[in-house]
Amino acid sequence: MSDPMRPRASLRTAVVWEVLKEALDRRVKAAGTDALDVLDTGGGSGNFAVPAAKLGHRVTVVDPSPNALFALERRAAEAGVADRVRGVQGDIHGLFEVVERGGYDAVLCHGVLEYVDDPAEGVRNAVDALRPSGALSLLAAGLGGAVLARALAGHFTEARTALTDPAGRWGAGDPVPRRFTAEQLTELVSAAGAEVGAVHGVRVFADLVPGVLVDTEPGALDALLKLEAAAAELPAFHSVATQLHVLGEKRG
């Protein structure tokens, strides 16, 4: 691997990227065009936006952080896709102050719902930004993964607190404001006017395996990536995943 950051990054993004890439490919065939209009809300420095642009798509990133948008601009330029990536300062609640309603073939909403005041409104806006039959990619923190991680670290009271807390938080020091179950996310997507296509558990094992093992054991990273991919679609593992990914399609 020539990119020194790829091993660590791949554990966090590989499953989601493969699912997203397949969804974009399906939209390309359905729309009869090589280039889609993609909106990435909270897309930051372009972890998904730049790879999508490298596939030939036009990507608009909406993010509240000027620093993240500056990093996005630099990253897009380095990847040779600056002409296909546009950064706009804004957030999911004020989305239509900065982008067009119903103007996109695919909308990414990754790592956003945990931090917004009204997740239901956030999902509605994401779906409203789609053209009919457009693809929604939703990624959010999973409740079960946090409970499991706290318990395995010996913080049993915090694990129980997260399990019973309405927002899925383990205490005042928890850096994540809100977590979700797969059922909660799919209900949000359905209520917003999209059909749920697939649910995947993300980082089922990656956050529990000692980093030194992955870094030093020959073939461990590749084997772990294959294990993550195999477990991602199995409902039994959704309840212990660090993140949950929901793929939806806007009703026509």
Side-chain angles (χ1 to χ4, degrees), residues 8-79:
R8 282 275 162 240
S10 61
L11 284 173
R12 295 179 175 276
T13 62
V15 168
V16 178
W17 173 246
E18 287 306 314
V19 173
L20 178 60
K21 185 175 179 297
E22 288 174 10
L24 293 175
D25 288 345
R26 286 194 297 272
R27 288 305 307 145
V28 163
K29 289 173 184 168
T33 177
D34 290 334
L36 302 175
D37 293 306
V38 178
L39 175 64
D40 189 352
T41 65
S45 60
N47 284 341
F48 289 93
V50 170
K54 288 172 81 171
L55 294 176
H57 305 306
R58 298 175 292 269
V59 187
T60 299
V61 175
V62 175
D63 197 279
S65 167
N67 290 339
L69 294 173
F70 178 74
L72 167 72
E73 188 178 331
R74 187 173 65 243
R75 190 175 194 167
E78 289 171 354

Side-chain angles (χ1 to χ4, degrees), residues 37-215:
D37 293 306
V38 178
L39 175 64
D40 189 352
T41 65
S45 60
N47 284 341
F48 289 93
V50 170
K54 288 172 81 171
L55 294 176
H57 305 306
R58 298 175 292 269
V59 187
T60 299
V61 175
V62 175
D63 197 279
S65 167
N67 290 339
L69 294 173
F70 178 74
L72 167 72
E73 188 178 331
R74 187 173 65 243
R75 190 175 194 167
E78 289 171 354
V81 293
D83 59 326
R84 293 198 292 274
V85 176
R86 180 173 74 103
V88 182
Q89 191 171 0
D91 61 37
I92 192 83
H93 284 318
L95 192 60
F96 301 115
E97 296 170 15
V98 294
V99 301
E100 178 188 356
R101 189 183 296 269
Y104 297 89
D105 301 293
V107 172
L108 283 55
C109 184
H110 295 174
V112 173
L113 297 185
E114 299 93 323
Y115 301 97
V116 297
D117 293 333
D118 187 346
E121 183 195 4
V123 179
R124 279 197 305 273
N125 284 352
V127 172
D128 286 350
L130 285 166
R131 292 169 179 149
S133 300
L136 172 69
S137 177
L138 192 66
L139 182 69
L143 170 63
V147 173
L148 186 62
R150 299 318 287 172
L152 290 178
H155 303 300
F156 306 122
T157 301
E158 290 180 352
R160 185 165 55 85
T161 298
L163 201 55
T164 56
D165 182 69
R169 303 186 77 227
W170 48 256
D174 192 337
V176 179
R178 188 182 289 106
R179 293 184 180 88
F180 302 87
T181 63
E183 291 75 20
Q184 287 171 332
L185 288 178
T186 55
E187 285 170 9
L188 286 173
V189 170
S190 296
E195 298 290 340
V196 175
V199 180
H200 294 86
V202 181
R203 290 156 58 193
V204 175
F205 308 103
D207 292 351
L208 304 176
V209 174
V212 65
L213 176 67
V214 177
D215 294 336

